[in-house]
Amino acid sequence: MNNPTTETISVPRFTTLNHPADILRGGLAAAEGPVALACSFSVEDVVIIDLLQEIAPETRIFALDTGRLNEETYETAEAISVRYGVTIDWYFPEREAVEKLEREKGLFSFRNSLENRKECCRIRKVEPLQRALKGLDGWITGMRRGQGATRGEIEPLEIDTAHGGIIKINPLAFWSAEKVWAYAKQRHIPVNRLHRQGYPSIGCAPCTRAIEPGEDERAGRWWWESPEHKECGLHSRSQ
């Protein structure tokens, strides 16, 4: 396989799953233990939260507060908490690591090189994710194949070998952006205001911009880098 961190799950009865609800049910059954949703409050993630209310409302939801999120993202998190009555478990980077990074390299070191950018992501995202996944048998993401070059081959259910071989569930893997938005509108789900301002993909504020017509969905993420590098380390895939 060309991906060192995930493997497609090969349980026969799950190989034909296509609809997000079926993928969620299949993934939860395959995990056979605690599963949580990693939520960035994108339209994809809030759609999954809505789906989970019908399938497994007890599913834990966690989010990574990097310290550099947009105000609109916090607003969406609050709106989702109120709408569904859910608790969001927030994880933060280690204070000492952030202080050392900013003291030694400044506030925008991530724009100086790919190595520096990955260092910032590792401190603010990857390490907190590792803590959030402890004790889990599976985690849910909002990734879709249509989101860009780094995600074109994701499968609905994968074995995440980078995190101890737990199940990685991608319920929206086969859905287009149009299907996601149609569902969100039909269900009147609170959506991040930045999406309507030209941000199909939203991360940290200084690393995200609106895209131009015709650009890739993730063109606004780390726009100074090549498309094959546009991951933060949470979902690393070789190309």
Side-chain angles (χ1 to χ4, degrees), residues 105 109 112-120 122 225:
K105 296 188 176 181
S109 61
N112 295 333
S113 69
L114 180 61
E115 180 182 22
N116 279 351
R117 197 271 291 170
K118 288 185 175 182
E119 177 186 30
C120 186
R122 184 170 62 252
E225 295 179 0

Side-chain angles (χ1 to χ4, degrees), residues 28 59 85 100 105 113 122 132 134 147 180 224:
L28 292 169
T59 302
K100 183 175 186 292
K105 296 188 176 181
S113 69
R122 184 170 62 252
K134 282 186 178 179
Q147 287 175 323
V180 173
W224 57 90

Side-chain angles (χ1 to χ4, degrees), residues 3 11 20 37 40 42-43 60-61 76 78 83 114 119 152 154 157 168 171 175-176 187 191 200-201 220 225 227 237:
N3 178 8
V11 182
L37 167 66
S40 65
S42 65
V43 64
R60 178 170 152 254
I61 302 168
T76 307
E78 189 69 12
R83 163 74 178 269
L114 180 61
E119 177 186 30
I154 64 167
L157 300 181
K168 189 173 186 180
W175 265 20
S176 64
R187 300 283 292 177
V191 173
S201 180
E225 295 179 0
R237 307 181 73 88

Side-chain angles (χ1 to χ4, degrees), residues 135-205:
L136 295 181
D137 291 310
W139 64 304
I140 305 167
T141 87
M143 293 197 299
R144 296 185 292 102
R145 288 187 172 187
Q147 287 175 323
T150 60
R151 301 184 176 184
E153 297 181 0
I154 64 167
E155 296 294 339
L157 300 181
E158 300 175 327
I159 301 295
D160 190 348
T161 57
H163 296 107
I166 66 176
I167 301 293
K168 189 173 186 180
I169 307 168
N170 306 310
L172 303 180
F174 301 135
W175 265 20
S176 64
E178 290 75 19
K179 282 190 175 181
V180 173
W181 275 100
Y183 182 95
K185 291 176 181 177
Q186 179 185 20
R187 300 283 292 177
H188 304 289
I189 301 172
V191 173
N192 195 315
R193 290 188 291 116
L194 289 176
H195 281 313
R196 303 186 189 282
Q197 298 172 30
Y199 291 73
S201 180
I202 303 167
C204 292

Side-chain angles (χ1 to χ4, degrees), residues 94-111:
E94 295 290 350
R95 176 182 60 81
E96 294 85 354
V98 174
E99 288 181 355
K100 183 175 186 292
L101 174 67
E102 295 188 355
R103 186 181 303 116
E104 294 180 356
K105 296 188 176 181
L107 298 174
F108 296 93
S109 61
F110 49 84
R111 290 182 180 166

Side-chain angles (χ1 to χ4, degrees), residues 4-59:
T5 61
T6 58
E7 298 175 4
T8 303
I9 190 168
S10 58
V11 182
R13 66 184 181 279
F14 295 146
T15 56
T16 59
L17 299 177
N18 289 293
H19 191 277
D22 293 332
I23 293 170
L24 277 171
R25 292 188 183 96
L28 292 169
E32 299 182 338
V35 173
L37 167 66
C39 185
S40 65
F41 303 99
S42 65
V43 64
E44 287 84 4
D45 291 340
V46 297
V47 161
I48 293 173
I49 289 175
D50 188 84
L51 286 164
L52 283 170
Q53 302 316 297
E54 301 292 330
I55 297 167
E58 73 284 356
T59 302

